[in-house]
Each structure stands twice: as structure tokens, then as C-alpha cells.
Amino acid sequence: MARTRTPARGTGSLPLEEVLESKELKAMHGFDVHTLDDMLRFAPRRYTVPAALRSIHEVAEGEEMAAVVTVTGLTARSMRNRRGTLLIVDVTDGDSALELVFFLAKEHQVAWHRSHLRVGERYTVYGIAGRDSRTGTPQLTHPRYEEYEDTPEGRARAERPLPVYPLKKNVAQKTMRDATERGLEFADGLQRILPDAVLRRRGLLPLADAARALHRPLTVEDTLAGRAHLVFEEAFVLQAIFAQRRAQDERTPAPALRGDGPLRPALDARLPFTLTDGQLEVGAALEERLAREHPTSVLLQGDVGSGKTVIALRAMLRAVDSGHQAALLAPTEVLAEQHHRTITGLLGDLAAAGRLDGHADATSVRLLTGSQRTAERRRTLLDVASGEAGIVIGTHALLTESVEFASLGLVVIDEQHRFGVDHRRRLRSKGPGGMSPHVVVMTATPIPRTAALAVVGDLDVLTLRESPGRRAGVTSFVVHESLPRWEQRMWARAGEEVAAGRQVFVVCPRIDEDDAAPPDPEGSEPLPPPRGVTETAARLASRPELAGARVGVLHGRLSTEEKQQVMEDVVAGRIDVLVATTVIEVGVDVPNASTMIVLDAERFGVSQLHQLRGRVGRGEAPGIAFLDTRVEQGSVSSQHLQSVAEATDGFALAELDLHRRGAGDLVGELQSGLGRTLQHLDVIRDGEVIARAREDAFPLVAADPDLTDHPVLAAAIETRLADADVERS
Ligand code: ADP
Ligand code: MG
């Protein structure tokens, strides 16, 4: 688990050395917990609720029990078969007798129990009921016990939930509990990050009370109230960071990109398609931001194929039209090259400045990669520095290298999974005259709104919801083979499509069936062995529904030429049914394909299934996708497929995927270190909290940008940023 050292060392948080014994200290250091503030914010993993208090005679052997008892006597004697002492403590609940039995290796342990279990005093004892084999007397071996106070509070304390902390090797749960207990004595000295006004407004416990509720709760409600403080606190620190970054942007100059001609309109005029309403809207929202005199930071999200590239290109032309340059950064060289091809393709002679065939208003679009020859690279660098190159395309390395821009007005970052401080910090002075360029980050992994606030709360999120590429759309169904009629209907439908002159894709998880089975994706339900392309193709040949259909196969073991041949045959309509592995997942564009059948669909991930069904319904005919499975109807996998079938757009799916995989993955995939160091906050579950924390944090930072009046918050921010940096490297 990622551990955060909450409020900064050096701001007054008590070092644990001053609080704990060495054994406890070592246990806490094992979790990178060094101060009182760290320790009391280190939440239990869960709680155990003890058995209800009962009379001893009601308890059957083997049952978990808790009882209030009085000590009547202690006997210690050496053990016969091994070294050490057998300590028997006789107790009674007034009605029945009970023996507490301890096998103790060391003399000091005997002394410890003797001093803590005094004759005549009352205790609550907890354990599993046993029985002395000779006398039949009820026994508890090595029970937990504590002093009992005969008041309503005492009774509640005896039945309170007990914290269970994560453990590292050789550390006892008791050590963790003792350490925390000891720390609670100093709870009033904790560094209070949340202002009192916020606590009151949000109905949160003061920090010290929250710590006690979390670690020493009387009820389950206490544990929730305690945790609520920490969750809000974490959200608040995060939002304060975002608020500060916004405030910083407000103080930073950026070139206002307001030029309204001639390149951008010239591109619009020659686009081979009409921009969708969504593209126009997002484009306008983006241009409004680019026209500002302070750097804008936008997250442009939209499904694969939703047309983000065109929007980015229009924005980049806007920069060039305004007398500045734009850079487009891709995660890999291959993608950078692809962008370069696409963009020069769309621009045509508008990108051919300085050439005979160039348009009068043309600019120059340059690719800059590490694998270019030195001479070419040097020439490009010169053109970037002189301003000759209006648009520069490269990998993220463009930023780290000392590439000099004449006047960089806009940076577009494609598929950036770890956007955040680092890049923007680096960009800050890359603009003309020390100004900061505007930044647009594009992602095809849409993030639900509240999660976006937590993850990239300093970016404006613009979203493309439609996908112009998918014209006719796709309807999905789950087919359970356990219901033979459905399966027949599926193949019959495939046959009908073929008869109507359309094409069918059948996707299998494997090439051959005797291949070693891949591990079950869930690991929980046993899955039937995966089907292979080869065997499936053979089986289909004998299915009456597909009689006469021409069946082809495609998979990664074919040579490049064979693959090309198969795809040509498919495109030319010489193959009716193509049985394939997921090689067809990306890039296959066959407008005549109407039907996608995924066999053993439970073996595919959400985004894979979404990509696969996106292969059909691209032309005139509506697409139909069958998610075929042999898992039991109503099982977890089956329900999951059902929800994939029902979720039609990439956003619904992304959300589904997030819920299924949990926030951890989102955080891991998308994030700057900031999100990965979250301890208490779950960016999906705690959406409401995040929104409220934002409402509270932004005005506070606006009123006091340097947090002069909030030194503890300032320190917490610094610590979190420092931890995020550590985690990132
Ligand atoms: P993304 O980058 O969001 O994955 P692209 O910008 O690459 O999507 O667009 C996917 C495809 O759709 C491209 O071939 C692009 O030219 C095309 N396209 C973009 N906008 C439209 C539109 N409004 N109408 C039709 N096709 C479009
Ligand atoms: Mg793209």
C-alpha cells in the first residue's frame, strides 16, 4: 500500500520516538509511519466485533464467547513436558466457574499477567470456549481480557468493535493496537488540517475525536464518523493543491491565441466530412480558453474514433494563425509518425510551406523523433527554433530535451496517462518571452466526472460523446450456450446476414484449443476451456445455418502476406465469415461487416469487447454483436457481460470497468503520483465528498493563495506533493 507521510515532518507533529516503546516503534516504521500524525491517520483495515456478553453456562464448547467475570485465584506451576509455566486463573461470573489458561515461556510474562489479573477484580474475557478434559470445567486458552467497569459506558466498551490493522511480518496485532492506543493519549496534539468552519459545515468530528472514533470506537457508527474526517481531509488537501495550481495559472502569462485566419478556416473548408455538433461545441469551448491571457489546461476526452485529432489540429492551426507554434506529443514514436501522416494528410498543401506545391498560407508540419538521422533532426530543430515549423510532432521527449521553440503557444499531449504536475511544470516557461503555453491533454480513457475532479482537478474537462465513425451503431446481446435455442438463433442470424450479402466476424480467445489455457481472468469462477480459431472454423463449416458460407481464418501465426491476403479477401467480399483472434481488434474497417460473434466472451476485457463490437456497424447496415458464453446464467461473469451488452457508449463502459476493477487501477493508470498516494479516499465511492471538499477548498485558496493563515494545510500540501514526486520516480 502506498503510504503517505501526512503533515510535514518539521511542522510540529510529534515524532513517534517520543511516544512509543521500541517494539511498537519498529512495527510502525515497517509501515513508514514516523510521526503521531502518520500513526493516527493510519486506519485499521477492518474491525472485529466481539461476541455479545453472556453467562458462562449459556456458552457451548467451541463457541466464541465474551463474559464479565471476577478473578478468584491464580495458580502457577512448571509445565511437565516443556519449559515454562502454566498459569491458571480461576474466575467466575457469579454462577459458573471458568479457567483462563496461559502457557508462558518467560517468567516476566507470568508477572505481567499476575499484575493485570488481580483477585477480586472484574474483567471482560474474550475467547473460544473450551473444556478441561479431566474436570470438565469450561476454559479459555490465552484469552484477551480487560478491566470491566460496571456502567453503561463500561458495558459498551466491553462490546466495542476492535480495530484490525494491516500487519507486516513478525508484528502482532496487539503491538499495533498498543501503539495506537498509546498515541491516542496525545490525540489533542494532532496537526489539524481542516478549518473548524469546514468541520462544522460538513458535520465532521474534530480531528482528535475522529482519531479516537477510528481507533477506539464504541460502535460501528464511530468508525464511520472517524473515517469520514480522514476521507474529507484527504479530498480537501487534494483540492487545495488543484486550487493553488489554478491560482498559479491565473498569475502566469500565456500567449492569447485569437488569430482567426487563414489556416483554421481553410482546413474546415476542405475536411472530407462535416464536423459533428459535439466537435463544434468542444472546439468552440477550447478556442475560448486558448484566447485567454493565462495558460489553460484542458483534458479532452472521447472514445477512440470520436474525432479528437481533428479538434486538436484545429486548435493547433489557431495557434499558428495567431503567430505562434504548436507541439503535438504522442506516447510512442510509432504514434507520433501516425499523427504526422494523418495531419499532413488532412492539411494537404496547407502543410507544404516553402514548397512549390504549397498553399499561399501554408505552414510547415515537422516530425521530430529519436530515430531520425542527425542531419534531418538538426534541420528540424533549426526550423523549430526559427519558427519556420508551425506544428511540431514528436514524443513526450520533446519536452525533456532542450528543444528550442521560436514561440510555442500550444502543447497537445495525446494519450497521456500520467499527466500532471511534471509536464506542466516543465512547460511553464517554454512559451515566448517566458510565457507558458496552453496545454491540451487528450485521452480515450474517459473518466467519470467526480473521479476526474479527484484525479485531474486542475484541468478543465471537455468531452466528446458521439463517435462520427460509427454510423449505424451496434446492438449487443449475451448468448448463453446453456440455452441451445439462443445459440441456434445466433448462428441463424449470422446465416441470414451472409445471405443478405453482409459479413460476419467470429472471435475466439485462442488460435488452437489444445493450447495451454490462459488463466481465468477473474480467478474466482472456473471457466470452460477456451475455444480456438482452427477448431471453430472447422465446426462452422458443418453448421446448417451457415451452409455455403465462405469461411476464412485470421490469426497472429499467419505470415504478414497471408494476413494481408485474408484481409483483402474480406474487404473484397470473397470471405463471408472470418474466424479470428483479437488481431482484428484494432484498425479493421470493413463497412460491409454487420455481425460480431465473440466466443467465450467472459475471457475478454471490457475495452476489448467494446473495441471488437466497434468493428461492425461501421457502414450502412446496423451492427449486431453476440457475446457468447458458457458460464452459468446469473453468475458474476454472466452479469458482467450483460452490463457490457447494455452499456453502449465508451463512458458507460469506462465507468463499469472502473467499478469492476476498483479505483486502484484508475489511479495506477491515469495518474500523476498525487492520486497514487491516496490512503483513505476512493475516487469513485467518494465522489460526493470530493465535490464538497472542492467547494470548500477553492474559496479558501482564492482568499489566501499562499495559505499564510493555514500553515498546517500548507505543510500537508507540501508533504503530499513531495510524496507524489517520490512515488513518480
Ligand atoms: P480519435 O483521435 O478521437 O480516436 P480521430 O480523430 O482519429 O479519433 O477520428 C477517427 C476517424 O473519424 C478519423 O478517420 C477521422 O478522420 C474521422 N472523423 C473525425 N471527425 C469526423 C466527422 N465529424 N465525421 C466523419 N468522420 C470523422
Ligand atoms: Mg487518436
Side-chain angles (χ1 to χ4, degrees), residues 273-276 279 302-310 346 468-469:
F273 44 74
T274 332
L275 293 168
T276 63
Q279 282 173 313
D303 219 342
V304 177
S306 59
K308 296 184 292 294
T309 309
V310 182
L346 280 168

Side-chain angles (χ1 to χ4, degrees), residues 389-719:
I391 295 178
V392 188
I393 301 172
T395 63
H396 296 165
L398 251 186
L399 293 186
T400 46
E401 294 165 6
S402 50
V403 180
E404 290 290 333
F405 287 85
S407 182
L408 183 60
L410 170 66
V411 176
V412 178
I413 305 177
D414 189 24
E415 288 303 321
Q416 168 62 293
H417 290 315
R418 290 165 74 195
F419 32 75
V421 245
D422 45 355
H423 279 132
R424 294 175 56 215
R425 213 188 279 145
R426 229 173 261 144
L427 284 172
R428 195 123 269 157
S429 59
K430 282 252 176 194
M435 290 198 270
S436 171
H438 301 280
V439 179
V440 174
V441 177
M442 302 198 285
T443 177
T445 312
I447 320 171
R449 199 189 71 86
T450 50
L453 285 184
V455 175
V456 288
D458 52 341
L459 306 184
D460 273 348
V461 179
L462 297 178
T463 302
L464 279 174
R465 297 213 162 259
E466 15 173 14
S467 285
R470 256 172 240 138
R471 281 206 277 158
V474 188
T475 317
S476 311
F477 299 94
V478 179
V479 174
H480 287 98
E481 288 195 19
S482 51
L483 306 171
R485 282 236 314 279
W486 292 24
E487 198 204 352
Q488 277 159 23
R489 182 68 203 113
M490 174 177 81
W491 295 115
R493 174 64 187 255
E496 288 159 19
E497 293 290 318
V498 170
R502 290 187 284 267
Q503 288 158 297
V504 176
F505 293 134
V506 180
V507 172
C508 305
R510 310 292 288 170
I511 300 177
D512 300 312
E513 283 181 11
D514 52 0
D515 288 359
D520 297 349
E522 293 292 306
S524 49
E525 290 167 62
L527 301 177
R531 275 171 296 201
V533 169
T534 321
E535 291 82 357
T536 300
R539 271 181 225 125
L540 292 190
S542 58
R543 275 207 90 98
E545 298 93 337
L546 294 172
R550 293 160 298 177
V551 177
V553 300
L554 183 69
H555 53 70
R557 271 212 312 264
L558 300 180
S559 69
T560 311
E561 297 78 51
E562 286 171 316
K563 276 190 267 192
Q564 263 166 10
Q565 185 59 52
V566 172
M567 278 321 293
E568 270 172 38
D569 288 346
V570 172
V571 171
R574 290 188 292 267
I575 287 177
D576 301 311
V577 179
L578 181 67
V579 186
T581 55
T582 51
V583 288
I584 64 163
E585 187 181 332
V586 284
V588 172
D589 192 0
V590 182
N592 192 44
S594 64
T595 309
M596 169 63 66
I597 295 177
V598 183
L599 296 180
D600 302 325
E602 73 283 354
R603 290 186 172 273
F604 297 87
V606 170
S607 57
Q608 258 183 329
L609 291 173
H610 186 53
Q611 288 289 348
L612 285 170
R613 68 182 169 189
R615 299 299 118 209
V616 299
R618 300 171 76 84
E620 300 294 318
I624 183 163
F626 294 105
L627 310 180
D628 173 285
T629 181
R630 287 171 288 171
V631 302
E632 251 176 76
Q633 219 183 342
S635 64
V636 173
S637 295
S638 153
Q639 285 170 15
H640 174 61
L641 287 176
Q642 197 60 50
S643 40
V644 172
E646 282 161 18
T648 48
D649 71 69
F651 286 89
L653 272 174
E655 202 139 348
L656 186 74
D657 208 21
L658 279 180
H659 279 284
R660 196 167 86 102
R661 294 181 306 162
D665 274 32
L666 169 85
V667 161
E669 266 169 34
L670 279 175
Q671 293 225 359
S672 60
L674 263 188
R676 267 184 295 137
T677 55
L678 292 178
Q679 269 186 80
H680 306 289
L681 187 66
D682 178 320
V683 297
I684 296 165
R685 183 197 62 199
D686 301 320
E688 290 283 311
V689 177
I690 292 164
R692 276 184 234 129
R694 190 174 178 89
E695 268 173 39
D696 292 343
F698 270 66
L700 183 143
V701 172
D704 180 12
D706 297 322
L707 299 177
T708 328
D709 295 335
H710 302 275
V712 179
L713 174 60
I717 287 176
E718 215 149 285
T719 309

Side-chain angles (χ1 to χ4, degrees), residues 186-209:
F186 304 87
D188 291 317
L190 285 171
Q191 300 288 302
R192 293 190 293 274
I193 296 173
L194 292 176
D196 290 342
V198 170
L199 296 181
R200 278 195 301 276
R201 188 173 324 134
R202 302 304 176 187
L204 295 166
L205 291 178
L207 180 58
D209 293 344

Side-chain angles (χ1 to χ4, degrees), residues 133-189:
S133 53
R134 275 182 306 121
T135 62
T137 315
Q139 283 186 333
L140 291 180
T141 304
H142 287 205
R144 180 168 76 82
Y145 61 86
E146 60 188 28
E147 284 178 33
Y148 177 74
E149 183 196 325
D150 197 10
T151 59
E153 298 81 51
R155 226 180 149 76
R157 204 172 310 125
E159 295 188 333
R160 75 188 189 275
L162 277 187
V164 178
Y165 297 93
L167 291 180
K168 289 248 155 88
K169 234 178 92 199
N170 295 333
V171 174
Q173 188 59 246
K174 186 168 178 330
T175 308
M176 299 293 288
R177 284 180 186 158
D178 288 349
T180 317
E181 269 298 320
R182 222 185 281 276
L184 284 179
E185 299 308 313
F186 304 87
D188 291 317

Side-chain angles (χ1 to χ4, degrees), residues 3-51:
R3 285 278 317 119
T4 312
R5 289 170 290 271
T6 342
R9 294 132 272 197
T11 54
S13 186
L14 203 54
L16 282 183
E17 280 81 356
E18 296 177 20
V19 181
L20 301 184
E21 291 188 347
S22 74
K23 183 164 83 171
E24 297 160 355
L25 194 62
K26 240 177 90 191
M28 286 298 166
H29 285 180
F31 286 102
D32 206 8
V33 165
H34 296 274
T35 65
L36 182 74
D37 278 274
D38 290 348
M39 183 169 78
L40 294 186
R41 284 180 176 83
F42 186 60
R45 190 201 293 287
R46 60 186 173 85
Y47 297 84
T48 54
V49 180

